[in-house]
Amino acid sequence: MNRLYYQDIRKQLEIYFILGSQNAKKDPLETVKEALEGGITCFQFREKGIGSLQGAEKRELATSLFALCQQYHVPFIINDDVDLAIELDADGVHVGQEDEDIASVREKIGPSKMLGVSVHTKEELRRAAELADYVGIGPVFGTRSKDDAKEPAGTWLIEHATKMYPSLPKVGIGGITPENAVIVRNAGADGVAVISAIAASKDIRLTANLFK
Ligand code: TZP
Ligand code: MG
């Protein structure tokens, strides 16, 4: 976290927008630009699932989105693809439990890139707390944006993390909207990670801003 805008990860996690071309209802660059204008504080490129781009097309979109995020001084995190994150010198990587082991990811990316890890159990949280810069906890509510999403879990693990690892930054994820975000924040989350509420909004700028 040697870049200026990493001074406070918690602040950066406040409105954490996630998108891949498969989630965008219009041009992904336009979608992310409007979300940035609306005040998102972190962005994750999650190119995954049916219809997602591969190879050079994926790299090109990532490169353009990274440049856009840099204009707004918003961290650019890449989901799963550690090699692409290293190649582009992205600000960080986010991995799940089914991805590469987090110790090996940390070794590859070094200490200065942000490492985010999805956790669903106390044990996954305990291990992530040793190596991650932040954790993603969910799905809090029902979601249609992840094919293999687990059952909605509510906020119990966010509450547990807040109590047991008070200094570990954390976001809630899954089915979060401007209306229910308060439940996630009241459970102790530093921020909310969101796909569809922002990506599918008719007014992306406004909706992103409503999460403030
Ligand atoms: N991980 C857990 S739920 C989820 C991911 C990637 C999808 C969140 O998308 P949405 O549309 O905000 O529910
Ligand atoms: Mg993953």
Side-chain angles (χ1 to χ4, degrees), residues 46 139 143 145-146 173-175 194-196:
R46 182 174 178 275
T143 179
S145 305
K146 182 172 162 68
I173 186 166
V194 176
I195 301 179
S196 57

Side-chain angles (χ1 to χ4, degrees), residues 121-128:
T121 66
K122 288 184 182 178
E123 179 52 24
E124 288 170 4
L125 173 67
R126 190 197 59 73
R127 187 159 152 64

Side-chain angles (χ1 to χ4, degrees), residues 31-106:
T31 303
V32 175
K33 185 165 186 287
E34 288 172 20
L36 287 162
E37 287 168 0
I40 62 163
T41 56
C42 190
F43 176 71
Q44 183 189 122
F45 179 58
R46 182 174 178 275
E47 192 65 30
K48 191 168 184 160
I50 297 164
S52 58
L53 303 175
Q54 311 289 326
E57 281 187 326
K58 177 181 175 184
R59 192 175 309 114
E60 268 167 39
L61 179 57
T63 304
S64 304
L65 289 169
F66 186 16
L68 190 57
C69 288
Q70 283 181 313
Q71 286 175 27
Y72 289 79
H73 288 197
V74 163
F76 178 82
I77 313 290
I78 295 184
N79 183 276
D80 287 0
D81 197 336
V82 180
D83 293 338
L84 183 62
I86 293 168
E87 187 187 327
L88 300 188
D89 194 22
D91 297 310
V93 175
H94 186 99
V95 290
Q97 296 297 323
E98 62 294 330
D99 299 314
E100 192 173 333
D101 180 71
I102 55 174
S104 135
V105 177
R106 176 55 89 197

